[in-house]
Each structure stands twice: as C-alpha cells, then as structure tokens.
Amino acid sequence: MSVTSEASTSWKGTLFEGSGEVALESSNQGPFAVNWKARSEGSTSVTTPEELIAAAHSSCFSMALANALTQNGTPPESIETTASVTFIPGTGITGSHLNVNAVVPGLSAEEFARLADEAKSGCPVSAALKGIEITLEATLA
C-alpha cells in the first residue's frame, strides 16, 4: 500500500518581493510563512524549504536508526537527531549534515557508528537526496 503526503504553498508576488505560506496536510499548526529573504539570508521566524527538508531528513533517519538498532538486538532508549541542510543562492541545496546522539544500552561506539552509517544510507529521504552530500556525526551517550 502506498501512502501519499501533501503540503501546499500559496505564493503571491515575485521571487524577491513576494512571500507565501506553506500548509502541511497533517498539521493543525501553521500555515508557515516562507520568503526569499529568509531562504537566502536565514531567519529564526520564517521557515524555508531547506528547514522542511531538514525536518523530513532528521525524522526519517531517526526511524531508520531505531529500526536498525532494534534489529541488532539493541533497541534504543532515545535518539536525538538534527539535520542541517545547506542552501547557497545561485547554486542550490549543497548538503545535509545529520548529527545524532543516542542512548543505546549494551552497544559499543564502533557498532553504533556502523549502524548509524547504514541507517543514513538506508533512509528513504537520504535516497531522495542522493544528489547532495550527506554527512553524519554519530555520538553514543
């Protein structure tokens, strides 16, 4: 069975002077404001396409890692993942850096690093982002 997820954007105006709103189908939060200034200069109050990609990447990777750890016989107590997606105006999205910190009893740091790297490669969002560099920093607490 396939599942389709949706988000919608309403945009008014030109790229540089205009702005829009993104609505997530599943969320009662938002809509989320988007504009070129936030995307090209950064913002703590207006979202960007890259922030939405980072949310997708961090959540997908966390699920893939939780599954890999469980299949390894070492289920996690907790996984905290931050994805940092880089955008360069005129170039595009250049990379996603995953920074994960997990509590996994009975697992060595080396085995954790191996499983985290496999989860990075096996995560469906990583596969969708195969045109950019994906890096990983994995820490076992």
Side-chain angles (χ1 to χ4, degrees), residues 2 9 11 22-24 52 62 68-69 86-87 93 97 104-106 109-110 112-113 117 123 132-133 135-136 139 141:
S2 69
T9 299
W11 186 268
V22 175
L24 307 179
L52 298 170
S62 294
L69 291 166
T86 303
F87 173 76
I93 297 170
H97 178 72
V104 187
E110 295 77 20
F112 177 69
D117 192 57
C123 162
I132 63 169
E133 181 181 22
T135 56
L136 173 66
T139 305

Side-chain angles (χ1 to χ4, degrees), residues 15-131:
L15 172 62
F16 298 115
E17 289 83 27
S19 63
E21 292 181 336
V22 175
L24 307 179
E25 173 189 40
S26 66
S27 177
N28 290 327
Q29 299 176 356
F32 301 99
V34 292
N35 63 45
W36 176 254
K37 182 176 169 113
R39 187 174 195 191
S40 62
E41 297 176 16
S43 174
T44 58
S45 61
V46 176
T47 196
T48 65
E50 291 72 32
E51 184 178 32
L52 298 170
I53 291 170
H57 203 189
S58 66
S59 60
C60 182
F61 170 81
S62 294
M63 290 181 209
L65 181 56
N67 187 50
L69 291 166
T70 301
Q71 288 181 345
N72 188 60
T74 52
E77 285 184 12
S78 65
I79 298 172
E80 300 292 330
T81 304
T82 300
S84 303
V85 175
T86 303
F87 173 76
I88 300 172
T91 300
I93 297 170
T94 59
S96 182
H97 178 72
L98 296 166
N99 188 340
V100 61
N101 189 329
V103 176
V104 187
L107 189 65
S108 71
E110 295 77 20
E111 186 70 359
F112 177 69
R114 182 185 69 77
L115 291 168
D117 192 57
E118 288 176 6
K120 178 189 83 160
S121 299
C123 162
V125 172
S126 290
L129 297 175
K130 66 183 176 184

